[in-house]
Amino acid sequence: MPTPTKGPRLGGSPAHERLMLANLATALFQHGRITTTETKARRLRPLAEQLITKAKRGDLHARRRVLGVVKDKDVVYALFDQIAPRYANRNGGYTRIVKTGPRKGDAAPMAIIELVEELAVAAPAPEKTAKKAAAKKAAQQDKVEALAPEETPVGSGAADQDAEAPVSASGETAEARQDSDEANENKA
């Protein structure tokens, strides 16, 4: 069970804090990176990582749980279909917090929280499944070869007729006729 936060909550009441973190998470998933105070970024990180982990599951229950926090359906769609697949082989650490300088108005410490860019790389197949796939492919190749028609010997007349181009009554092949037609059009 997570330990409760010490000190004053963000925004005063627990309900307001939940809404602020939900809005920050929505903006993070929508834009990929946001600038906020260090305190808010530290409070947002666990929530954002939990939502990405739920999105990686991809089932209906996980989608409904995420919709309970992030109210924008377009952002939830992007989270499930674009963001979560990027982290298929990663077990956490989806966000990064980079500290920036103090804010000009009140000198509050600022930070950038962003999604870590990682492309999903297909996991290597275990040896057993690779051997089974190779055996299956070989069996399919044998079936194809068995169904293929037999080739006629080189010296027979049937194969020689197929190899030649069709000849018209005047003795010209189709290619020669096409070349002569193009030459006549160029002259005209």
Side-chain angles (χ1 to χ4, degrees):
M1 183 171 168
T3 58
T5 59
K6 296 186 173 150
R9 292 185 175 265
L10 301 176
S13 69
H16 189 231
E17 182 180 12
R18 277 194 302 270
L19 290 173
M20 281 179 47
L21 291 175
N23 288 337
L24 285 170
T26 302
L28 177 63
F29 297 139
Q30 190 171 15
H31 301 291
R33 85 175 4 189
I34 57 172
T35 303
T36 184
T37 62
E38 281 184 35
T39 307
K40 288 179 184 176
R42 286 183 183 160
R43 297 293 294 278
L44 173 61
R45 174 183 254 171
L47 176 68
E49 300 216 358
Q50 288 170 6
L51 293 175
I52 292 172
T53 303
K54 287 176 186 171
K56 281 173 52 176
R57 284 187 17 213
D59 57 352
L60 181 63
H61 180 64
R63 190 174 291 266
R64 287 179 175 164
R65 295 285 303 263
V66 171
L67 273 168
V69 177
V70 178
K71 302 298 182 187
D72 190 354
K73 291 182 181 179
D74 294 333
V75 174
V76 172
Y77 175 80
L79 176 63
F80 274 77
D81 292 343
Q82 296 167 5
I83 297 172
R86 289 193 313 202
Y87 304 113
N89 296 330
R90 192 175 180 116
N91 293 328
Y94 313 120
T95 58
R96 173 187 305 130
I97 297 176
V98 179
K99 295 179 183 180
T100 60
R103 188 163 45 195
K104 186 176 181 184
D106 60 354
M110 299 297 287
I112 295 173
I113 182 167
E114 60 188 356
L115 296 174
V116 175
E117 293 298 323
E118 180 173 324
L119 299 175
V121 179
E127 285 186 32
K128 291 181 181 179
T129 56
K131 288 179 182 178
K132 286 181 183 179
K136 188 175 181 180
K137 188 174 183 179
Q140 288 176 346
Q141 184 67 25
D142 291 341
K143 287 180 184 178
V144 169
E145 289 175 1
L147 295 176
E150 293 183 21
E151 295 182 16
T152 58
V154 176
S156 70
D160 294 337
Q161 288 177 357
D162 291 341
E164 295 180 42
V167 179
S168 66
S170 65
E172 289 183 332
T173 62
E175 292 178 1
R177 257 185 303 176
Q178 186 178 8
D179 291 340
S180 64
D181 290 341
E182 289 176 5
N184 290 338
E185 288 176 5
N186 290 341
K187 289 179 184 178

